[in-house]
Amino acid sequence: MSQDADDTRPDSGPPLERFEYVPESVLVVVAHPDDCDFLAASVLSALVRQGSRAAICLVTDGDAGSDDPSIPLGELSRIRLEEQRRAATHLGVGQVLCLGYPDGMLQNTLEVRRDLVRVLRTVRPELVITMDPTARFFGRGYINHPDHRAAADACLDAVFPSARDARAFPELLSAEGLQPHKVRFVLVGSGDGADVAVPVEELDLENQLAALGEHTSQFDAGPMRGHIWEEARRCGARAGVPLAESYRLFDLVPNPSQRDYRRREEQPAPGAPPPRRAASNWG
Ligand SMILES: [Zn+2]
């Protein structure tokens, strides 16, 4: 690939607004064990370091992730859940949930959505991170896994409107006592459509690599080191920080005056004139 072609990659694009908000709680929703550690591991590490409570929800059991006939059906899902739990310990994530849907067969059904509403109303995250349900192709080398799209679609449908609405899946409230919950932020792992960058530090990338290194039934994480660091540097360069991860942000609180995602100490005092920001999407 030529240098010019390489520079069309998403993290070579226009400036990204920094998203430095530290939520009280964050939930990552993905299809398979290991997806989270590509999508959000360094960000989880960074947020937990700064005080967030974190959880990961796997929608499928990961049982299709091997061609090894010596592994009995059902055994791989147990192995992969253990790998994900060990990976989570590198990030400080306190909870790994698995909905247990069959790997490779996931669809965005009302049953999946209801199960995710249950998770959202139980964990009650301020921030949800999930995959991009619109991502179909990645270059020439990868057709996005249908489970990734289905899990992300179901997650977004659960966030809005079902987790918020008391009359959606009313049995969750009447029989289980699960009160409606409004998620404030959603970060979608969207290369082409990214509009914010979440700064991370070297330690967070090392924690991500340690988390990836736990998925030994799936891959050898060693050769990924260069790529992980390069992508974080490229993304950071678009946001004016050394290292970052890019996402598409949804802020579901309809109050533009609250749309300042810098660290609290960088925010203006009450009554101060609004700051000038070059690359704001909300100017
Ligand atoms: Zn996956």
Side-chain angles (χ1 to χ4, degrees):
M1 181 180 285
S2 73
Q3 186 61 46
D4 284 349
D6 198 45
D7 282 343
T8 64
R9 289 155 57 180
D11 286 349
S12 304
L16 294 168
E17 182 173 8
R18 293 205 304 272
F19 182 82
E20 297 179 299
Y21 186 88
V22 179
E24 190 275 330
S25 57
V26 52
L27 172 69
V28 176
V29 177
V30 289
H32 309 119
D34 78 18
D35 290 340
C36 173
D37 297 314
F38 291 104
L39 175 74
S42 63
V43 169
L44 284 180
S45 169
L47 293 179
V48 168
R49 277 195 301 103
Q50 296 172 85
S52 295
R53 180 169 51 86
I56 299 167
C57 178
L58 314 171
V59 181
T60 80
D61 61 9
D63 203 40
S66 174
D67 295 328
D68 183 347
S70 70
I71 302 177
L73 272 180
E75 177 66 5
L76 186 60
S77 60
R78 187 193 64 74
I79 292 169
R80 294 190 69 188
L81 184 56
E82 274 309 305
E83 290 174 346
Q84 186 63 79
R85 288 195 168 124
R86 285 199 300 275
T89 64
H90 294 287
L91 313 173
V93 172
Q95 199 173 19
V96 177
L97 306 163
C98 182
L99 299 183
Y101 284 86
D103 186 357
M105 310 293 280
L106 189 66
Q107 293 190 305
N108 178 17
T109 63
L110 289 176
E111 183 188 13
V112 176
R113 194 201 303 186
R114 184 200 60 209
D115 285 350
L116 285 167
V117 170
R118 179 184 288 111
V119 170
L120 288 163
R121 290 188 185 178
T122 302
V123 175
R124 307 187 79 76
E126 190 177 6
L127 165 66
V128 168
I129 305 176
T130 193
M131 307 173 97
D132 181 356
T134 70
R136 195 73 175 85
F137 308 114
F138 292 86
R140 286 186 176 167
Y142 183 61
I143 297 171
N144 196 11
H145 196 298
D147 288 356
H148 295 170
R149 290 182 282 123
D153 253 333
C155 172
L156 295 178
D157 292 349
V159 165
F160 183 85
S162 301
R164 181 200 68 173
D165 292 349
R167 295 187 183 208
F169 307 109
E171 68 277 13
L172 293 178
L173 180 57
S174 61
E176 301 181 37
L178 293 172
Q179 296 292 330
H181 175 66
K182 276 187 189 174
V183 172
R184 176 167 180 194
F185 296 114
V186 179
L187 291 173
V188 172
S190 173
D192 291 341
D195 57 6
V196 296
V198 182
V200 299
E201 297 186 3
E202 293 184 11
L203 168 66
D204 303 314
L205 290 189
E206 292 301 334
N207 288 341
Q208 176 180 13
L209 284 161
L212 286 165
E214 296 290 355
H215 298 283
T216 51
S217 74
Q218 300 300 298
F219 47 76
D220 174 8
M224 297 175 184
R225 167 172 289 275
H227 176 76
I228 296 282
W229 275 83
E230 182 193 352
E231 289 300 305
R233 283 195 192 102
R234 293 168 74 101
C235 180
R238 293 175 62 185
V241 294
L243 301 166
E245 300 292 338
S246 64
Y247 299 90
R248 180 169 179 175
L249 171 67
F250 296 89
D251 181 348
L252 304 177
V253 173
N255 183 350
S257 71
Q258 293 182 26
R259 287 180 171 170
D260 191 335
Y261 311 124
R262 291 166 299 166
R263 288 176 201 278
R264 220 163 266 134
E265 57 268 28
E266 290 181 29
Q267 293 185 10
R276 293 183 57 168
R277 285 191 283 157
S280 171
N281 294 301
W282 295 283

